Amino acid sequence: MPYKLLSFRTPRGPRAGVLIDGTVYDAAQITKVPAHASVLAILEDWARARRLLDRASRRLESGNARVRGIPLARARLLAPILYPGAIYCAGANYTDHMAEMARAQGQTPGPTMKELGEKPWHFVKTSKSSVVGPGTRVKLPIYSQMVDWEVELAAVIGKIARAVPVERALSYVAGYTIANDLSARDVMTRDKNPPTSPFHYDWLSQKCFDGSCPLGPWIVPAHQLSDPQQLGLKLWVNQTLMQDSNTSRMIFDTAEQIAMLSSRVTLQPGDLVLTGTPAGVGTPRRIFLKPGDTVKLWIESIGELSHTMSA
């Protein structure tokens, strides 16, 4: 039976959970491994944990497991990983997004970086300060009036990856979840530094404010997704559809990104790779998030993630 990994609040504190057929079970109880109390610990033991979870889900489906769970509606979900080791975010990685940004600047869309022979490009987001879970109220940073949304497929690393080839890169992915790479656009540059300066861009202020990475609602194991490059993804702001695309429009696919990252740094279990966002962000339309806005994200075969914005 299909299952999903999540984190949920209990009287004992945050616990790793497994969602099976609408019911949330304590992960450590069904794997019978006390260390599996957190999703990060499960990912650090992914080869064994996956076998145990597959076996436990079959027992629960057959009615042979003597474990009690709680209905999903009663579970208080947290971000699925508390907390990722590192968060690597792809920039400028969808063909439709690149075209809309070029048009917004009065330019004609040109060849992609891949067509020009370049490699994937990533920036880094903070972890514990940035990551928040489903239903969170994200406080808008006081220094920005132009906070934008970006729905992204996030790959969750499940084993140490160092210099892996593209053809094997997806075997290092434990699962996939949904992320919103919130971005403070009006602090992207430091205007007193010329555009030619390496210190012109301010990635920290733009991408790393508190709550800037809503994540969830759970992780779908990779073996339950047939192809991460054939997933629809959408984002709504206050029920208005803003982004509507497909992961097939990535310039560098998920495997290419993991291979490139692993050639520069060693990826660890629990690291995230946010794979880029498609067309439909607010910047070209000069529409930005404001207090009270509700943001809903959806990715095919994964589910929905919602959060609100506050002052």
Side-chain angles (χ1 to χ4, degrees):
M1 175 177 285
Y3 60 87
K4 302 173 177 69
L5 285 175
L6 53 81
S7 295
F8 69 114
R9 195 179 303 280
T10 76
R12 294 178 291 169
R15 298 282 294 184
V18 183
L19 176 62
I20 301 173
D21 196 26
T23 300
V24 174
Y25 299 92
D26 186 282
Q29 288 183 11
I30 69 170
T31 65
K32 301 180 181 179
V33 178
H36 290 170
S38 75
V39 170
L40 184 56
I42 290 173
L43 293 168
E44 290 171 342
D45 186 34
W46 183 240
R48 178 174 67 146
R50 175 184 163 178
R51 292 193 301 270
L52 294 173
L53 290 167
D54 287 342
R55 191 180 308 158
S57 66
R58 290 193 296 269
R59 287 200 309 268
L60 286 162
E61 183 179 16
S62 66
N64 293 327
R66 297 181 180 179
V67 181
R68 297 184 64 180
I70 60 173
L72 176 61
R74 286 175 44 202
R76 298 177 61 188
L77 300 190
L78 304 167
I81 310 177
L82 299 170
Y83 288 92
I87 304 174
Y88 303 98
C89 306
N93 195 49
Y94 272 74
T95 54
D96 54 355
H97 181 45
M98 290 302 91
E100 76 169 349
M101 296 302 282
R103 288 192 293 268
Q105 297 169 18
Q107 301 173 2
T108 301
T112 68
M113 287 294 101
K114 188 174 184 179
E115 291 167 338
L116 292 173
E118 259 294 354
K119 296 178 179 179
W121 180 92
H122 294 80
F123 58 89
V124 176
K125 236 172 159 62
T126 52
S127 178
K128 193 170 183 178
S129 295
S130 294
V131 170
V132 294
T136 300
R137 294 179 64 83
V138 177
K139 188 174 182 179
L140 290 160
I142 59 174
Y143 57 78
S144 175
Q145 302 298 313
M146 296 170 59
V147 173
D148 208 343
W149 55 84
E150 294 187 10
V151 60
E152 305 207 11
L153 175 69
V156 184
I157 300 301
K159 61 180 178 179
I160 293 173
R162 183 184 299 111
V164 301
V166 171
E167 56 271 18
R168 291 180 49 224
L170 293 186
S171 70
Y172 291 80
V173 177
Y176 298 91
T177 189
I178 304 169
N180 191 0
D181 176 21
L182 293 171
S183 306
R185 304 294 194 194
D186 47 350
V187 293
M188 182 170 68
T189 59
R190 304 170 71 219
D191 293 337
K192 291 183 173 59
N193 276 278
T196 54
S197 167
F199 309 110
H200 179 65
Y201 290 97
D202 184 352
W203 291 101
L204 182 74
S205 298
Q206 180 191 188
K207 295 289 189 175
C208 297
F209 56 88
D210 288 357
S212 62
C213 190
L215 193 71
W218 41 62
I219 298 167
V220 174
H223 63 281
Q224 295 178 21
L225 278 178
S226 59
D227 186 354
Q229 301 310 139
Q230 294 294 330
L231 301 175
L233 67 172
K234 299 181 181 183
L235 180 146
W236 295 259
V237 177
N238 299 329
Q239 301 183 337
T240 299
L241 182 63
M242 295 296 188
Q243 291 182 277
D244 184 2
S245 191
N246 193 283
T247 57
S248 62
R249 293 180 177 174
M250 286 186 197
I251 296 169
F252 298 98
D253 65 26
T254 306
E256 290 170 321
Q257 293 184 48
I258 292 170
M260 171 57 185
L261 283 166
S262 76
S263 74
R264 299 296 190 264
V265 297
T266 299
L267 301 178
Q268 303 287 343
D271 285 353
L272 297 183
V273 179
L274 274 58
T275 55
T277 200
V281 297
T283 298
R285 292 174 280 189
R286 310 303 292 175
I287 301 173
F288 300 100
L289 294 169
K290 60 187 184 300
D293 282 347
T294 296
V295 185
K296 182 174 74 172
L297 306 90
W298 168 88
I299 297 183
E300 184 179 358
S301 300
I302 297 178
E304 288 184 1
L305 169 67
S306 295
H307 65 87
T308 57
M309 310 302 297
S310 66

